[in-house]
Amino acid sequence: MTTGHALPPGGRVAADRAPSASPLPRALTRRLWPDGTVLERQLPFAVLSAAAAVTLGLPGIDVTAVAPVVVAGGLTLASLVLALVVPWRRLRPSAQDVLPLLQIAAVAALRMGTGGLGSPYAALVYLPVITLSARPGRARILVATLATAATVAASSWLDPTVDQDVVVLRSFLVAASALAISVFVHETTERQRAYSARLEGLQVAQTELLERTRESAVALQRVASTRRAARDQLISVIDSATEQAIIATDREGRVEVFNPGAERLLGYAQGEVVGRMHLTDFHVRAEIDERRPRHRGSPPRGGSDALAEQRELVEALVAPARAGSADVRDWTYVRGDRTTVIVRLAVTRRVEPDGSVSGYVVVATDVTAEREAALLKDQFLGLVSHELRTPLTSVLGYLELLLDGTEPLSDEQREYLQVVERNARRQLRLVSDLLLSAQVDAGTFAITPQPTDLGAVARASLASAAPAAEQAGVTLVPAVQDAPLVADPVRLGQAVDNLVSNAVKFTPPGGSVRVEVAPLPDGGALLAVSDTGIGIPADELGDLTARFFRASNAARRAIPGVGLGLSITKAVIDAHGGELDVQSTVGEGTTFVVSLPAVPPGDR
């Protein structure tokens, strides 16, 4: 008999292989269990009924009525035929209850024709009772019990001499036995059914888990292969980089990767470094101490203090990279032979998928030759500036003597001498700018602060720029207030002169230059120089204060200049602790805004 939740083939296999929770014989359990076909579950009763039919002719078997015996055989045969031909899967599961009820009726008829209450075939009723009660639903227990009691009562119908009290008593006893058997069989099979369902669920889950595991294994293998290929490619790239030293460390700074470029730069073999040395072992200790967060220069002590010291040194090296920002700066490396080399160091962090820092990657480029060349260039620039400045000063002195002397000069001679003087002063300004630029790069640039009025400095610059502005057809618009502060008036005058002269130079005829000075509430001062000139391309604003940089539109128009004015202006403003901001639109004009504190940082 099928049930309302018949198991799939996988579930049936699992149930057959599982240890039985029922004490019933396994062969009988197979017939009662829903795994068998409807016909298979009717065969045990049919076989026993056939055996009973064979025994009808034995001595001691009293066939009191033939008709009931024939009816019993017909009902048994009918249950077999129905089990075979009826499409039970298309019907409701409760329809199969007809078959055991037919068998119970067959037992009642057989008892009726073989002695009634004394029939030896009374026990046959328990097999359809077991079959019926093994099906889901406790209502079948009641049906089986009542049907069994009915077989006892029906067996006395053909014998009116039977004591009805005996019939009632026997019906009760048989019904009680059927009830006990039904309850036992029903609960046992329910547990077996639940066990099988759980087993089926586990098997389905296991199958799904195996499938997911198989898919995950394939995906993992694919990822592992990709990562291996990427790692091999990365190692190949790292090993082929001979001009850069690439060093990878763990989070404690211990070296894990040391490429051939690092071997060439530092003079160590890979085996001497990997797993044995820390990143800090290649650095000059004094440079690290300058950037340490706590007391600097303290010698390391033993034990855990030495480890803490090592961690602190590594932290000083990688602090910007640990915070997630790019860290590119110059350091001094100590090679294996104890010589030093200047390197440009780029430090980045290695991040795990969970976001934790697993280590650092350091790319070092030897810039010793570059730095030495820059130093030589600055030294040469300073030397040339100094050697040019002295004779130019002398030339200007003699020109002044000639122009102011007692000897009369013709107009033509005086004009020639004035041309020489203008060019000599222009050259002297250029040499002064070169010398000042060299001082800035060498770190020797300094200011001499004293009480100064920025308004007075701006007025002087406007007066100096007036002839050039008039000649260029540019209108100067002063909006200058007194703004007292502590500053270097000479250096500040250079900065203002550069801003005003640039504004005049890059403004076409008919344009204007506005110079505004105003005091700030905190005691500082604000200077703004605005023009209506050619403007500066937006992508070039960040390079304006670089030495020798010139805007592309200025170069195309062949406007004279060497690109030193704004770099010097920026150096002067920085030395005063101020800020320089620029806003510009091509074709409309440019505005430089300078904000200065009341007192330079060094004098506070």
Side-chain angles (χ1 to χ4, degrees):
M1 290 174 285
T2 60
T3 64
H5 50 280
L7 299 178
R12 292 201 293 268
V13 172
D16 288 344
R17 293 181 180 177
S20 177
S22 171
L24 297 175
R26 185 170 181 79
L28 182 58
T29 302
R30 286 178 55 116
R31 294 297 176 264
L32 297 177
W33 197 248
D35 299 338
T37 65
V38 177
L39 178 61
E40 285 176 341
R41 289 193 289 276
Q42 314 311 313
L43 289 179
F45 181 80
V47 171
L48 289 179
S49 296
V54 171
T55 61
L56 288 176
L58 294 179
I61 301 299
D62 185 15
V63 179
T64 57
V66 176
V69 174
V70 173
V71 171
L75 292 175
T76 301
L77 182 61
S79 67
L80 286 174
V81 173
L82 291 175
L84 179 63
V85 301
V86 173
W88 297 105
R89 292 184 180 277
R90 300 179 185 176
L91 302 178
R92 298 179 61 181
S94 60
Q96 296 180 30
D97 294 345
V98 172
L99 300 179
L101 291 176
L102 287 177
Q103 293 172 353
I104 292 174
V107 173
L110 182 60
R111 292 187 62 184
M112 205 181 298
T114 56
L117 293 180
S119 174
Y121 303 109
L124 287 177
V125 75
Y126 292 117
L127 192 55
V129 166
I130 291 174
T131 302
L132 184 61
S133 58
R135 290 172 50 73
R138 286 189 172 87
R140 291 182 173 87
I141 297 175
L142 179 60
V143 172
T145 302
L146 295 177
T148 304
T151 61
V152 177
S155 63
S156 64
W157 289 350
L158 300 180
D159 188 1
T161 62
V162 176
D163 188 354
Q164 292 302 313
D165 292 336
V166 174
V167 172
V168 172
L169 178 59
R170 181 163 295 191
S171 297
F172 174 77
L173 293 175
V174 171
S177 300
L179 176 62
I181 293 173
S182 297
V183 171
F184 175 75
V185 170
H186 180 81
E187 294 302 322
T188 300
T189 53
E190 280 294 316
R191 287 195 296 271
Q192 184 76 11
R193 199 174 286 111
Y195 175 76
S196 180
R198 288 196 299 271
L199 201 60
E200 176 196 2
L202 289 175
Q203 187 181 36
V204 171
Q206 182 185 32
T207 302
E208 294 176 353
L209 182 60
L210 285 174
E211 185 61 28
R212 287 198 297 269
T213 303
R214 200 174 295 114
E215 293 174 356
S216 299
V218 172
L220 184 62
Q221 184 178 8
R222 189 181 303 113
V223 171
S225 299
T226 303
R227 293 193 66 176
R228 276 196 300 270
R231 179 179 178 275
D232 293 341
Q233 184 179 9
L234 179 60
I235 291 175
S236 176
V237 171
I238 290 175
D239 289 342
S240 65
T242 57
E243 296 301 318
Q244 282 80 30
I246 301 177
I247 304 171
T249 73
D250 60 14
R251 61 186 305 170
E252 302 297 333
R254 186 179 291 103
V255 177
E256 294 180 338
V257 175
F258 197 77
N259 80 324
E263 292 180 320
R264 188 179 68 83
L265 177 66
L266 291 168
Y268 290 100
Q270 188 181 73
E272 298 178 80
V273 177
V274 174
R276 299 183 179 184
M277 297 181 69
H278 285 74
L279 185 61
T280 53
D281 295 332
F282 308 127
H283 285 260
V284 174
R285 175 65 179 270
E287 287 187 346
I288 304 177
D289 286 339
E290 291 177 0
R291 294 162 179 166
R292 292 175 63 185
R294 63 178 183 88
H295 56 281
R296 299 173 180 171
S298 58
R301 292 167 289 183
S304 60
D305 291 334
L307 181 59
E309 181 84 4
Q310 177 64 41
R311 289 176 178 172
E312 191 176 317
L313 293 174
V314 172
E315 176 66 24
L317 282 174
V318 303
R322 186 188 292 273
S325 62
D327 182 28
V328 180
R329 66 177 92 174
D330 288 355
W331 293 86
T332 303
Y333 264 2
V334 181
R335 306 178 77 250
D337 58 3
R338 311 316 298 169
T339 59
T340 59
V341 57
I342 301 175
V343 295
R344 180 185 295 117
L345 217 61
V347 183
T348 56
R349 58 181 183 173
R350 295 160 53 195
V351 182
E352 294 294 330
D354 61 359
S356 62
V357 177
S358 61
Y360 303 91
V361 177
V362 176
V363 179
T365 304
D366 185 359
V367 294
T368 303
E370 181 182 335
R371 294 294 177 265
E372 290 176 350
L375 179 61
L376 288 175
K377 182 179 68 175
D378 291 338
Q379 290 175 347
F380 174 77
L381 187 62
L383 178 63
V384 170
S385 300
H386 184 269
E387 293 302 321
L388 287 175
R389 188 176 186 180
T390 300
L392 282 173
T393 303
S394 177
V395 168
L396 287 171
Y398 281 107
L399 284 172
E400 288 180 2
L401 289 176
L402 287 173
L403 290 171
D404 298 333
T406 58
E407 294 294 330
L409 297 174
S410 66
D411 293 340
E412 187 177 9
Q413 289 175 328
R414 184 172 296 279
E415 182 181 354
Y416 290 159
L417 289 175
Q418 288 174 346
V419 171
V420 172
E421 182 185 22
R422 284 198 302 271
N423 283 284
R425 292 192 182 281
R426 184 180 299 113
Q427 294 302 317
L428 182 60
R429 284 196 299 272
L430 177 59
V431 170
S432 298
D433 288 346
L434 288 171
L435 184 58
L436 180 57
S437 178
Q439 291 175 350
V440 171
D441 283 348
T444 60
F445 174 74
I447 61 174
T448 305
Q450 61 188 55
T452 302
D453 181 7
L454 181 59
V457 173
R459 293 186 191 97
S461 294
L462 284 167
S464 300
E470 183 178 359
Q471 184 178 0
V474 176
T475 303
L476 295 179
V477 182
V480 179
Q481 303 178 42
D482 292 339
L485 43 74
V486 176
D488 186 328
V490 176
R491 297 302 189 192
L492 209 54
Q494 282 181 288
V496 179
D497 285 346
N498 286 335
L499 292 176
V500 175
S501 63
N502 272 355
V504 171
K505 183 166 56 175
F506 294 110
T507 300
S512 63
V513 173
R514 178 182 175 86
V515 179
E516 180 180 359
V517 174
L520 294 176
D522 60 358
L526 182 72
L527 167 70
V529 179
S530 304
D531 63 59
T532 58
I534 63 175
I536 304 166
D539 58 345
E540 298 179 2
L541 291 177
D543 298 323
L544 280 181
T545 58
R547 190 167 57 171
F548 301 116
F549 175 81
R550 302 198 70 218
S552 58
N553 52 355
R556 284 195 302 269
R557 294 169 182 253
I559 298 175
V562 294
L564 287 175
L566 287 178
S567 65
I568 292 173
T569 299
K570 181 69 164 60
V572 171
I573 294 171
D574 287 345
H576 284 83
E579 295 181 359
L580 174 65
D581 184 36
V582 57
Q583 299 174 356
S584 182
T585 302
V586 174
E588 296 183 9
T590 303
T591 298
F592 285 91
V593 178
V594 177
S595 57
L596 295 170
V599 180
D603 288 12
R604 292 175 186 170

